[in-house]
Amino acid sequence: MIIEPRMRGFICLTAHPKGCEQSVKNQIEYVKSKGTIDGAKKVLVIGASTGFGLASRITSAFGSNASTIGVFFEKPPTEGKTASPGWYNSAAFEKLTNESGLYAKSINGDAFSSEIKNQTIDLIKADLGQIDLVIYSLASPVRLNPNTGILHRSVLKPIGTTFTNKTVDFHTGKVSEVSIEPANQEDIDNTVVVMGGEDWKMWMNALNEAGVLSNDAMTLAYSYIGPEVTEAVYRKGTIGRAKDHLEATAFEITKQLESVNCKAYVSVNKALVTQASSAIPVIPLYISLLYKIMKEEGIHEGCIEQIQRLFQDRLYSGSKIPTDDKGRIRIDDWEMRDDIQEKVAKLWKEATTESLPNIGDLNGYTNDFHNLFGFGFDGVDYQADTNEMVDILSIT
C-alpha cells in the first residue's frame, strides 16, 4: 500500500515502516560515529519504542554493545492498516541489532501491570541473569493500578488559576491565545498516580525481590523543567506535581535498594518534539523559537544526540555523576543557558502568525513531528508500494 501521513490534531494516524527503519538507522549511525561508551552491558528499557526510551536503547546497544530488553505498549499492524510508529521502530531496532550480532528482545504490553513485570523478570532470568541498568521512560496518559484496579487519567492543567498565553497550531502556523482552566485536587492526584514515581518504584522493587538486579546497578527516569514561559502549565501545573513525585522517588529507590547498592537518578532533559509534548499548549511555540536559537548557536540536539551525550558525559564518564542541588542530572544545560533563555523570552513577545516564519523554526518543528511517524526522511521512496505487515522478531 501507499502510506501517507493522515493527521488528526497532534496525532498522525499512520506510520511508515521504511521511514521508521531509516530513523532508527540514522540514530544508530550517529551513536556509532561518537565512539564507544564504557557503559552497562545488560539493559532494561521500560518505554523503549519512541523518543528518549528508544534513544536510550540504541545508545546502550550501539554505544556500549549492550544486550537490551525493551518493554512497550504498541499497536501491531493489521491488513491495510499501519502499526503505531513505536512498533515499526522496535521491529527495525531488533532487525538491525540481530544483524550486528547483539542480543535484543522485546515485550509488548501494559508496563503498569503485574503480568508484564513478571514476564520481563522471567525473560531476564532466562536470558541475561541480571540487569545493570534500568531506564524508566513511560509516557502514558492513563494507568490501571494493578493493586487497586482503578483506572487513573492524567490531565494537563495549571494549578490555582486559569492559564492564558500564546500557542501555535504547527500544522497551519497560526499563533493564537489559549486558556486552560485550573485543576481540582482529583486531577492533581490522578496525574501524580499516572506520571509520578509509583510505578517506577514498583518495577525496581519487583526486579530486586526477584534477584535480577546486579550489584551496583543504576536506574534512570526522565524529567523536564523548562522555562518561565511554560511553567504555569507545565512545571507548576499537574504534570509538574507528577515530576516532583518522580524526582522524590529516586531517593526512595536508592534507599530501598541499598543492599545491592543500586542508585536511582532523574535526568532533566531538553525540550524536544515528541507525541506527548505536541499535545501541550504553548510548548510547540516555545520549541519552534528554541530550535531557531539553538541551531544558530550550534548546540541543538535531538533525542539521540541528547541521550548519547547523557551516557557519555554524565553516566559513564569515569567520574562521579554530576547532579544539581536537588540530586538531578541536568542534561538540559544548553537549553537553560541564560543567553538562550533571554533570546527566547524576547522572541516570545514578538511571536505572531506573521512573524513566526522568520523568528522561529516552525519548519524544523513540523519536520521533527513528521519524523516521529516515519515521514520526511531522505532515502525513503514514499510513493512506493510498502508492506505494512512488519513483525518484531522476538514477539510471537
Side-chain angles (χ1 to χ4, degrees), residues 229-284:
V229 73
T230 67
E231 69 178 10
V233 73
Y234 194 91
R235 193 66 204 199
K236 290 185 177 178
T238 52
I239 293 181
R241 289 288 179 87
K243 295 300 185 184
D244 289 344
H245 187 275
L246 181 77
E247 291 167 13
T249 301
F251 295 98
E252 295 176 12
I253 292 171
T254 297
K255 185 169 182 59
Q256 286 197 356
L257 301 186
E258 280 179 334
S259 61
V260 291
N261 197 34
C262 177
K263 298 287 196 300
Y265 295 94
V266 167
S267 173
V268 179
N269 295 358
K270 172 181 182 269
L272 288 169
V273 180
T274 64
Q275 292 184 60
S277 69
S278 299
I280 304 174
V282 182
I283 294 290

Side-chain angles (χ1 to χ4, degrees), residues 226-229 286 289-290 292-294 296-297 299 333-351 359:
E228 184 179 347
V229 73
Y286 168 72
L289 299 173
L290 180 72
K292 177 86 168 182
I293 294 163
M294 293 190 76
E296 288 174 349
E297 293 288 331
I299 55 172
D333 49 347
W334 295 352
E335 173 189 355
M336 298 308 294
R337 267 174 29 184
D338 289 344
D339 61 322
I340 299 296
Q341 287 303 314
E342 285 168 8
K343 290 176 182 177
V344 171
K346 180 177 181 293
L347 292 179
W348 186 271
K349 295 175 183 177
E350 302 171 8
I359 68 172

Side-chain angles (χ1 to χ4, degrees), residues 110-155:
D110 180 7
F112 294 129
S113 71
S114 299
E115 177 189 2
I116 293 300
K117 290 179 175 69
N118 292 334
Q119 190 177 334
T120 304
I121 287 167
D122 289 343
L123 181 58
I124 294 168
K125 285 180 175 179
D127 288 6
L128 301 181
Q130 291 186 319
I131 290 292
D132 308 318
L133 173 65
V134 180
I135 299 291
Y136 188 86
S137 186
L138 289 187
S140 172
V142 297
R143 176 184 172 217
L144 180 66
N145 188 310
N147 296 332
T148 65
I150 297 173
L151 184 68
H152 299 270
R153 296 184 183 277
S154 63
V155 297

Side-chain angles (χ1 to χ4, degrees), residues 193 224 371:
V193 170
Y224 182 65
N371 286 173

